[in-house]
Amino acid sequence: MPVPDAPVTGAPTDPPGSGPARPSRLDPAIAARLRRTADGLVAAVVRQHDSGEVLMVAWMDDEALHRTLTTGRATYWSRSRREYWVKGATSGHHQYVRSVALDCDGDALLVSVDQVGAACHTGHRTCFFDELPVSGPETP
């Protein structure tokens, strides 16, 4: 099992949203296709590769995407802790990456994984366990 790379640090060199907020080793051809938030992030929708079950949504910057693509382990940027995290490093609930797709606008990623254990920090299989009532018109 690959070991995650050491953190990459540095000050932003580009205006917000125009490029990565932190230095990265991501392939420049891939980086050029990303449309990032002002914080240099892209939303990552994570699903179970064989069932299509949506497990969670997280954030990646260029370096997190690079690590995900090169290690096969889902790596994200924690907005609250301001550091990289490899899913399962502390919980044991690992995500082994099967594929990554970029959406048509370049502002979201679809990460297909083999999820071991719970995906949600609450211990649930998926973060989407709280169904809301829908009272709109019936579908035909």
Side-chain angles (χ1 to χ4, degrees):
M1 186 177 319
V3 176
D5 297 329
V8 175
T9 59
T13 56
D14 296 322
S18 66
R22 289 157 289 282
S24 174
R25 294 163 290 182
L26 183 64
D27 179 333
I30 296 172
R33 297 174 60 195
L34 298 176
R35 290 186 50 205
R36 302 163 192 82
T37 66
D39 294 334
L41 302 174
V42 175
V45 177
V46 184
R47 71 174 176 179
Q48 176 63 34
H49 77 95
D50 51 0
S51 69
E53 175 186 30
V54 177
L55 301 170
M56 58 182 271
V57 174
W59 295 94
M60 289 185 177
D61 68 355
D62 290 31
E63 182 61 16
L65 179 55
H66 165 76
R67 294 180 189 193
T68 297
L69 294 172
T70 59
T71 67
R73 297 288 305 280
T75 304
Y76 306 105
W77 175 256
S78 171
R79 295 180 300 169
S80 59
R81 295 188 313 267
R82 305 208 36 85
E83 65 184 14
Y84 295 103
W85 56 283
V86 177
K87 184 66 174 170
T90 57
S91 68
H93 298 164
H94 301 283
Q95 291 178 344
Y96 298 99
V97 178
R98 295 295 190 96
S99 67
V100 178
L102 182 61
D103 82 335
C104 60
D105 294 325
D107 60 1
L109 298 161
L110 180 61
V111 182
S112 297
V113 302
D114 184 13
Q115 176 70 48
V116 176
C120 186
H121 71 280
T122 64
H124 289 85
R125 166 85 180 153
T126 173
C127 292
F128 298 96
F129 57 87
D130 194 7
E131 291 278 337
L132 302 177
V134 176
S135 58
E138 298 284 329
T139 57

Coordinates of all heavy atoms in Angstrom, one line a residue, residues 28-77:
P28 N 0.3 19.3 -15.6 CA -0.2 20.7 -16.0 C -1.4 20.6 -17.0 O -2.2 21.4 -17.0 CB 1.0 21.3 -16.7 CG 2.2 20.6 -16.1 CD 1.8 19.2 -15.8
A29 N -1.4 19.5 -17.8 CA -2.5 19.4 -18.8 C -3.8 19.1 -18.0 O -4.9 19.6 -18.4 CB -2.3 18.2 -19.8
I30 N -3.8 18.4 -16.9 CA -5.0 18.2 -16.1 C -5.3 19.4 -15.3 O -6.4 19.9 -15.3 CB -4.8 17.0 -15.1 CG1 -4.6 15.7 -15.9 CG2 -6.0 16.9 -14.2 CD1 -4.2 14.5 -15.1
A31 N -4.3 20.1 -14.7 CA -4.5 21.3 -14.0 C -5.1 22.4 -14.8 O -6.0 23.1 -14.3 CB -3.2 21.8 -13.4
A32 N -4.8 22.5 -16.1 CA -5.3 23.5 -16.9 C -6.8 23.3 -17.2 O -7.5 24.3 -17.5 CB -4.6 23.5 -18.3
R33 N -7.3 22.1 -17.0 CA -8.8 21.8 -17.2 C -9.6 22.1 -16.0 O -10.9 22.1 -16.1 CB -8.9 20.4 -17.6 CG -8.2 20.1 -19.0 CD -8.2 18.6 -19.3 NE -9.6 18.2 -19.5 CZ -9.9 16.9 -19.5 NH1 -9.0 16.0 -19.4 NH2 -11.2 16.5 -19.7
L34 N -9.0 22.3 -14.8 CA -9.8 22.5 -13.6 C -10.3 24.0 -13.4 O -9.5 24.9 -13.7 CB -8.9 22.2 -12.4 CG -8.4 20.7 -12.3 CD1 -7.5 20.6 -11.1 CD2 -9.6 19.8 -12.2
R35 N -11.5 24.1 -13.0 CA -12.1 25.4 -12.6 C -12.3 25.4 -11.1 O -13.2 24.7 -10.6 CB -13.4 25.6 -13.4 CG -13.2 25.9 -14.8 CD -14.5 26.3 -15.5 NE -15.2 27.3 -14.8 CZ -16.5 27.5 -14.9 NH1 -17.3 26.8 -15.7 NH2 -17.1 28.5 -14.3
R36 N -11.5 26.1 -10.4 CA -11.4 26.0 -9.0 C -12.2 27.1 -8.3 O -12.5 28.2 -8.9 CB -10.0 26.2 -8.5 CG -9.0 25.1 -9.1 CD -7.6 25.5 -9.0 NE -6.7 24.7 -9.7 CZ -6.5 24.9 -11.0 NH1 -7.0 25.8 -11.7 NH2 -5.6 24.1 -11.7
T37 N -12.6 26.9 -7.0 CA -13.2 28.0 -6.2 C -12.1 29.0 -5.9 O -10.9 28.8 -6.2 CB -13.7 27.4 -4.9 OG1 -12.5 27.0 -4.1 CG2 -14.7 26.3 -5.1
A38 N -12.5 30.1 -5.3 CA -11.5 31.1 -4.9 C -10.4 30.6 -4.0 O -9.3 31.1 -3.9 CB -12.2 32.3 -4.2
D39 N -10.7 29.5 -3.3 CA -9.8 28.8 -2.4 C -8.9 27.8 -3.1 O -8.1 27.1 -2.5 CB -10.5 28.1 -1.2 CG -11.2 29.1 -0.3 OD1 -10.8 30.2 -0.2 OD2 -12.2 28.6 0.3
G40 N -9.1 27.7 -4.4 CA -8.3 26.8 -5.2 C -8.7 25.3 -5.1 O -8.0 24.4 -5.4
L41 N -10.0 25.1 -4.8 CA -10.6 23.8 -4.6 C -11.6 23.4 -5.7 O -12.2 24.2 -6.3 CB -11.2 23.7 -3.2 CG -10.4 24.1 -2.1 CD1 -11.2 24.1 -0.8 CD2 -9.2 23.1 -1.9
V42 N -11.7 22.1 -5.8 CA -12.7 21.5 -6.7 C -13.5 20.5 -5.9 O -12.9 19.7 -5.1 CB -12.0 20.8 -7.9 CG1 -13.0 20.0 -8.8 CG2 -11.2 21.8 -8.7
A43 N -14.8 20.4 -6.1 CA -15.7 19.5 -5.3 C -15.4 18.1 -5.9 O -15.3 17.9 -7.1 CB -17.1 19.8 -5.5
A44 N -15.3 17.1 -4.9 CA -15.2 15.7 -5.3 C -16.3 14.9 -4.8 O -16.5 14.8 -3.6 CB -13.9 15.2 -4.7
V45 N -17.2 14.4 -5.7 CA -18.3 13.6 -5.3 C -17.7 12.2 -5.3 O -17.1 11.7 -6.3 CB -19.4 13.7 -6.3 CG1 -20.6 12.8 -6.0 CG2 -19.9 15.2 -6.4
V46 N -17.9 11.4 -4.2 CA -17.3 10.1 -4.1 C -18.5 9.1 -4.1 O -19.4 9.2 -3.4 CB -16.5 10.0 -2.8 CG1 -15.8 8.7 -2.7 CG2 -15.5 11.2 -2.7
R47 N -18.3 8.0 -4.9 CA -19.3 7.0 -5.0 C -18.6 5.6 -5.0 O -17.4 5.5 -5.3 CB -20.1 7.1 -6.3 CG -19.3 6.7 -7.5 CD -20.2 6.7 -8.7 NE -19.4 6.5 -9.9 CZ -19.9 6.4 -11.1 NH1 -21.2 6.5 -11.3 NH2 -19.1 6.1 -12.2
Q48 N -19.4 4.6 -4.5 CA -18.9 3.2 -4.5 C -18.9 2.8 -6.0 O -19.8 2.9 -6.7 CB -19.9 2.3 -3.7 CG -19.6 0.9 -3.8 CD -18.2 0.5 -3.2 OE1 -17.8 1.1 -2.2 NE2 -17.6 -0.5 -3.7
H49 N -17.7 2.2 -6.4 CA -17.5 1.9 -7.8 C -18.5 0.9 -8.4 O -18.8 1.1 -9.6 CB -16.1 1.5 -8.1 CG -15.8 0.1 -7.7 ND1 -15.9 -1.0 -8.5 CD2 -15.5 -0.5 -6.5 CE1 -15.6 -2.1 -7.9 NE2 -15.4 -1.8 -6.6
D50 N -18.9 -0.1 -7.7 CA -19.7 -1.1 -8.3 C -21.2 -0.9 -8.2 O -22.0 -1.3 -9.1 CB -19.3 -2.5 -7.7 CG -19.3 -2.6 -6.2 OD1 -19.6 -1.5 -5.6 OD2 -19.0 -3.6 -5.7
S51 N -21.7 -0.2 -7.2 CA -23.1 0.0 -7.0 C -23.5 1.4 -7.4 O -24.7 1.7 -7.6 CB -23.5 -0.2 -5.5 OG -22.9 0.9 -4.7
G52 N -22.6 2.4 -7.5 CA -22.9 3.8 -7.8 C -23.4 4.5 -6.6 O -23.8 5.7 -6.7
E53 N -23.5 3.9 -5.4 CA -24.0 4.6 -4.2 C -23.1 5.8 -3.9 O -21.9 5.7 -3.9 CB -23.9 3.6 -3.0 CG -24.2 4.2 -1.7 CD -24.0 3.2 -0.6 OE1 -23.1 2.3 -0.7 OE2 -24.7 3.3 0.4
V54 N -23.8 7.0 -3.8 CA -23.0 8.2 -3.4 C -22.7 8.1 -1.9 O -23.5 8.0 -1.1 CB -23.9 9.4 -3.7 CG1 -23.1 10.7 -3.3 CG2 -24.2 9.5 -5.2
L55 N -21.4 8.3 -1.7 CA -20.9 8.1 -0.3 C -20.7 9.4 0.4 O -21.0 9.6 1.6 CB -19.6 7.3 -0.3 CG -19.7 5.9 -0.9 CD1 -18.3 5.3 -1.1 CD2 -20.5 5.0 0.0
M56 N -20.1 10.4 -0.3 CA -19.7 11.6 0.4 C -19.3 12.7 -0.7 O -19.2 12.4 -1.8 CB -18.5 11.4 1.4 CG -17.3 10.9 0.7 SD -15.9 10.5 1.8 CE -15.1 12.1 1.8
V57 N -19.1 13.9 -0.2 CA -18.6 15.0 -1.0 C -17.4 15.6 -0.2 O -17.6 15.8 1.0 CB -19.6 16.1 -1.3 CG1 -19.0 17.3 -2.0 CG2 -20.8 15.5 -2.1
A58 N -16.3 15.8 -0.8 CA -15.2 16.4 -0.2 C -14.5 17.4 -1.1 O -15.1 17.7 -2.2 CB -14.2 15.3 0.2
W59 N -13.4 17.9 -0.8 CA -12.7 19.0 -1.6 C -11.3 18.5 -1.9 O -10.6 17.9 -1.1 CB -12.7 20.3 -0.9 CG -14.0 20.9 -0.7 CD1 -14.8 20.7 0.5 CD2 -14.8 21.6 -1.6 NE1 -16.0 21.4 0.3 CE2 -16.0 21.9 -1.0 CE3 -14.6 22.1 -2.9 CZ2 -17.0 22.7 -1.6 CZ3 -15.5 22.8 -3.5 CH2 -16.7 23.1 -2.9
M60 N -10.9 18.8 -3.1 CA -9.5 18.5 -3.6 C -8.9 19.8 -4.2 O -9.6 20.6 -4.8 CB -9.5 17.5 -4.6 CG -9.8 16.1 -4.2 SD -9.5 14.9 -5.5 CE -9.9 13.4 -4.7
D61 N -7.6 20.0 -3.9 CA -6.9 21.0 -4.6 C -6.0 20.2 -5.6 O -6.2 19.0 -5.7 CB -6.1 21.9 -3.7 CG -4.9 21.2 -3.0 OD1 -4.8 19.9 -3.1 OD2 -4.2 21.9 -2.3
D62 N -5.2 20.9 -6.4 CA -4.4 20.2 -7.4 C -3.5 19.1 -6.8 O -3.4 18.0 -7.3 CB -3.5 21.2 -8.1 CG -4.3 22.1 -9.0 OD1 -5.4 22.4 -8.7 OD2 -3.7 22.5 -10.1
E63 N -2.9 19.4 -5.6 CA -2.0 18.4 -5.0 C -2.8 17.2 -4.5 O -2.3 16.0 -4.6 CB -1.1 19.0 -3.9 CG -0.2 18.1 -3.3 CD 0.9 17.5 -4.2 OE1 1.1 18.0 -5.3 OE2 1.5 16.5 -3.8
A64 N -3.9 17.4 -3.9 CA -4.8 16.3 -3.4 C -5.2 15.4 -4.6 O -5.1 14.2 -4.5 CB -6.0 16.8 -2.7
L65 N -5.5 16.0 -5.8 CA -5.8 15.2 -6.9 C -4.6 14.5 -7.4 O -4.7 13.3 -7.8 CB -6.4 16.2 -8.0 CG -6.8 15.5 -9.3 CD1 -7.8 14.3 -9.1 CD2 -7.3 16.5 -10.3
H66 N -3.5 15.1 -7.5 CA -2.2 14.4 -7.9 C -2.0 13.2 -7.0 O -1.7 12.1 -7.5 CB -1.0 15.4 -7.8 CG 0.3 14.7 -7.8 ND1 0.8 14.2 -9.0 CD2 1.1 14.4 -6.8 CE1 2.0 13.6 -8.7 NE2 2.2 13.7 -7.4
R67 N -2.1 13.4 -5.7 CA -1.9 12.3 -4.8 C -2.9 11.1 -5.0 O -2.5 10.0 -4.9 CB -1.9 12.7 -3.3 CG -0.8 13.7 -3.0 CD -0.8 14.1 -1.5 NE 0.1 15.2 -1.3 CZ 0.4 15.6 0.0 NH1 -0.1 15.0 1.0 NH2 1.3 16.5 0.1
T68 N -4.1 11.5 -5.2 CA -5.2 10.5 -5.5 C -4.9 9.7 -6.7 O -5.0 8.5 -6.7 CB -6.5 11.2 -5.6 OG1 -6.8 11.9 -4.3 CG2 -7.7 10.3 -5.9
L69 N -4.5 10.4 -7.8 CA -4.2 9.8 -9.1 C -3.0 8.9 -9.0 O -2.9 7.9 -9.7 CB -4.1 10.8 -10.2 CG -5.4 11.6 -10.5 CD1 -5.1 12.7 -11.5 CD2 -6.5 10.7 -11.1
T70 N -2.0 9.3 -8.2 CA -0.7 8.6 -8.2 C -0.6 7.5 -7.2 O 0.3 6.6 -7.3 CB 0.5 9.5 -8.2 OG1 0.4 10.3 -7.0 CG2 0.5 10.4 -9.4
T71 N -1.4 7.6 -6.1 CA -1.3 6.6 -5.0 C -2.4 5.6 -5.0 O -2.3 4.5 -4.4 CB -1.2 7.2 -3.6 OG1 -2.5 7.9 -3.4 CG2 -0.1 8.3 -3.5
G72 N -3.5 5.9 -5.7 CA -4.7 5.1 -5.6 C -5.5 5.1 -4.3 O -6.4 4.4 -4.1
R73 N -5.1 6.1 -3.5 CA -5.8 6.3 -2.2 C -6.4 7.7 -2.2 O -5.8 8.7 -2.6 CB -4.8 6.3 -1.0 CG -4.1 4.9 -0.9 CD -5.0 3.9 -0.3 NE -5.6 4.3 0.9 CZ -5.1 4.2 2.1 NH1 -3.8 3.8 2.3 NH2 -5.7 4.6 3.2
A74 N -7.7 7.8 -1.9 CA -8.4 9.1 -1.9 C -7.8 10.0 -0.9 O -7.7 9.8 0.3 CB -9.9 8.8 -1.6
T75 N -7.3 11.2 -1.4 CA -6.7 12.2 -0.6 C -7.5 13.5 -0.9 O -7.8 13.9 -2.0 CB -5.2 12.4 -1.0 OG1 -4.6 11.1 -0.9 CG2 -4.5 13.4 -0.2
Y76 N -7.8 14.2 0.2 CA -8.6 15.4 0.2 C -7.9 16.6 0.9 O -6.9 16.4 1.6 CB -10.0 15.2 0.8 CG -10.7 14.0 0.2 CD1 -10.7 12.8 0.9 CD2 -11.2 14.1 -1.1 CE1 -11.4 11.7 0.3 CE2 -11.9 13.0 -1.6 CZ -11.9 11.8 -0.9 OH -12.6 10.7 -1.5
W77 N -8.4 17.8 0.7 CA -7.9 19.0 1.4 C -9.0 19.3 2.4 O -10.2 19.5 2.1 CB -7.7 20.2 0.4 CG -7.4 21.4 1.2 CD1 -8.2 22.5 1.4 CD2 -6.1 21.7 1.8 NE1 -7.5 23.4 2.2 CE2 -6.2 23.0 2.4 CE3 -4.9 21.0 1.9 CZ2 -5.2 23.6 3.0 CZ3 -3.8 21.6 2.5 CH2 -4.0 22.9 3.1

